[in-house]
Amino acid sequence: MGKFVITTRANGEFQFNLKAGNGQTILTSEGYTTKAACNNGIESVKKNASDDDRYDRLESKSGKPYFNLKAGNGQIIGSSEMYESTSARENGIESVKKNAPDATIDDQTA
Protein backbone atom coordinates (compact mmCIF):
# COMPACT_ATOMS: atom_id res chain seq x y z
CA MET A 1 0.00 0.00 0.00
CA GLY A 2 1.26 3.46 -0.88
CA LYS A 3 1.75 6.41 1.41
CA PHE A 4 2.19 10.15 1.18
CA VAL A 5 5.18 11.36 3.18
CA ILE A 6 5.05 15.04 4.18
CA THR A 7 8.41 16.70 4.83
CA THR A 8 9.79 20.22 5.17
CA ARG A 9 12.18 21.61 2.58
CA ALA A 10 15.31 23.56 3.53
CA ASN A 11 13.45 26.81 2.74
CA GLY A 12 10.66 25.92 5.20
CA GLU A 13 8.10 24.91 2.57
CA PHE A 14 6.13 21.68 2.89
CA GLN A 15 6.18 18.99 0.22
CA PHE A 16 4.93 15.45 -0.17
CA ASN A 17 6.24 12.37 -1.88
CA LEU A 18 3.94 9.53 -2.89
CA LYS A 19 5.75 6.28 -2.18
CA ALA A 20 4.77 2.88 -3.52
CA GLY A 21 4.45 -0.12 -1.23
CA ASN A 22 8.13 -0.93 -1.87
CA GLY A 23 9.17 2.51 -0.60
CA GLN A 24 10.08 3.92 -4.01
CA THR A 25 9.06 7.55 -4.61
CA ILE A 26 6.67 7.70 -7.57
CA LEU A 27 5.43 11.31 -7.37
CA THR A 28 6.85 14.50 -5.82
CA SER A 29 4.88 17.68 -5.13
CA GLU A 30 5.79 21.31 -5.50
CA GLY A 31 6.63 23.31 -2.39
CA TYR A 32 3.72 24.61 -0.31
CA THR A 33 3.87 27.52 2.12
CA THR A 34 1.41 25.89 4.56
CA LYS A 35 0.74 22.35 5.69
CA ALA A 36 -2.95 22.85 4.91
CA ALA A 37 -2.10 23.61 1.29
CA CYS A 38 0.14 20.53 1.20
CA ASN A 39 -2.73 18.38 2.50
CA ASN A 40 -5.01 19.88 -0.16
CA GLY A 41 -2.42 18.82 -2.75
CA ILE A 42 -2.52 15.26 -1.41
CA GLU A 43 -6.32 15.22 -1.66
CA SER A 44 -6.06 16.50 -5.23
CA VAL A 45 -3.65 13.68 -6.13
CA LYS A 46 -6.03 11.12 -4.60
CA LYS A 47 -8.94 12.60 -6.58
CA ASN A 48 -7.16 12.94 -9.93
CA ALA A 49 -4.82 9.91 -9.93
CA SER A 50 -7.24 7.50 -11.62
CA ASP A 51 -8.00 9.85 -14.57
CA ASP A 52 -5.53 9.11 -17.39
CA ASP A 53 -6.29 12.48 -19.01
CA ARG A 54 -4.68 14.22 -16.02
CA TYR A 55 -1.21 12.87 -16.89
CA ASP A 56 1.11 14.84 -19.14
CA ARG A 57 3.64 12.46 -20.65
CA LEU A 58 6.77 14.49 -21.27
CA GLU A 59 10.46 14.22 -22.13
CA SER A 60 13.31 16.14 -20.52
CA LYS A 61 15.89 18.07 -22.54
CA SER A 62 18.23 15.10 -22.11
CA GLY A 63 15.60 12.77 -23.62
CA LYS A 64 14.42 11.11 -20.38
CA PRO A 65 10.69 10.36 -20.16
CA TYR A 66 8.74 11.68 -17.14
CA PHE A 67 5.21 12.76 -16.29
CA ASN A 68 3.28 15.47 -14.48
CA LEU A 69 -0.07 14.90 -12.79
CA LYS A 70 -2.42 17.86 -13.16
CA ALA A 71 -5.54 18.91 -11.28
CA GLY A 72 -8.80 19.71 -13.03
CA ASN A 73 -7.75 23.37 -13.26
CA GLY A 74 -4.57 22.42 -15.12
CA GLN A 75 -2.22 23.09 -12.21
CA ILE A 76 0.61 20.58 -11.77
CA ILE A 77 0.18 18.75 -8.45
CA GLY A 78 3.03 16.27 -8.79
CA SER A 79 5.94 15.25 -10.97
CA SER A 80 7.68 11.92 -11.47
CA GLU A 81 11.32 11.03 -11.52
CA MET A 82 13.15 10.74 -14.84
CA TYR A 83 12.76 7.30 -16.40
CA GLU A 84 15.01 5.33 -18.71
CA SER A 85 12.18 4.38 -21.10
CA THR A 86 8.61 5.29 -22.00
CA SER A 87 7.47 1.87 -20.77
CA ALA A 88 9.04 2.59 -17.36
CA ARG A 89 7.18 5.93 -17.33
CA GLU A 90 3.90 4.13 -18.07
CA ASN A 91 4.62 1.75 -15.19
CA GLY A 92 5.15 4.81 -12.97
CA ILE A 93 1.78 6.25 -13.99
CA GLU A 94 0.08 2.92 -13.30
CA SER A 95 1.76 2.84 -9.90
CA VAL A 96 0.38 6.28 -9.04
CA LYS A 97 -3.10 5.19 -10.18
CA LYS A 98 -2.86 2.09 -7.99
CA ASN A 99 -1.24 3.59 -4.89
CA ALA A 100 -2.62 7.14 -4.56
CA PRO A 101 -6.37 6.66 -3.95
CA ASP A 102 -5.99 4.66 -0.70
CA ALA A 103 -2.56 5.87 0.39
CA THR A 104 -2.03 6.75 4.03
CA ILE A 105 -0.38 9.99 5.16
CA ASP A 106 2.91 9.96 7.07
CA ASP A 107 3.48 13.50 8.37
CA GLN A 108 7.15 13.76 9.29
CA THR A 109 6.92 17.47 10.15
CA ALA A 110 4.87 17.03 13.33
Side-chain angles (χ1 to χ4, degrees):
M1 183 183 208
K3 69 177 176 179
F4 289 97
V5 179
I6 300 173
T7 56
T8 309
R9 291 181 171 182
N11 65 2
E13 290 183 337
F14 297 94
Q15 79 171 44
F16 63 82
N17 287 315
L18 174 59
K19 294 184 180 269
N22 64 5
Q24 182 180 3
T25 298
I26 50 179
L27 193 72
T28 300
S29 75
E30 64 182 356
Y32 295 96
T33 54
T34 66
K35 193 182 294 187
C38 187
N39 280 313
N40 287 343
I42 290 171
E43 290 307 311
S44 186
V45 170
K46 287 183 173 193
K47 187 172 87 177
N48 291 287
S50 61
D51 185 345
D52 195 66
D53 292 337
R54 299 278 192 248
Y55 293 89
D56 276 347
R57 291 158 170 87
L58 304 163
E59 200 172 275
S60 71
K61 287 182 180 142
S62 61
K64 300 263 189 195
Y66 72 102
F67 64 86
N68 288 329
L69 175 60
K70 291 185 167 183
N73 64 5
Q75 184 179 3
I76 295 171
I77 47 179
S79 299
S80 73
E81 65 180 358
M82 299 294 159
Y83 293 99
E84 295 300 319
S85 67
T86 54
S87 62
R89 176 182 62 199
E90 290 305 311
N91 289 341
I93 290 171
E94 289 307 311
S95 186
V96 172
K97 289 178 181 178
K98 186 179 89 178
N99 285 283
D102 300 316
T104 58
I105 297 175
D106 177 6
D107 184 349
Q108 297 187 351
T109 67

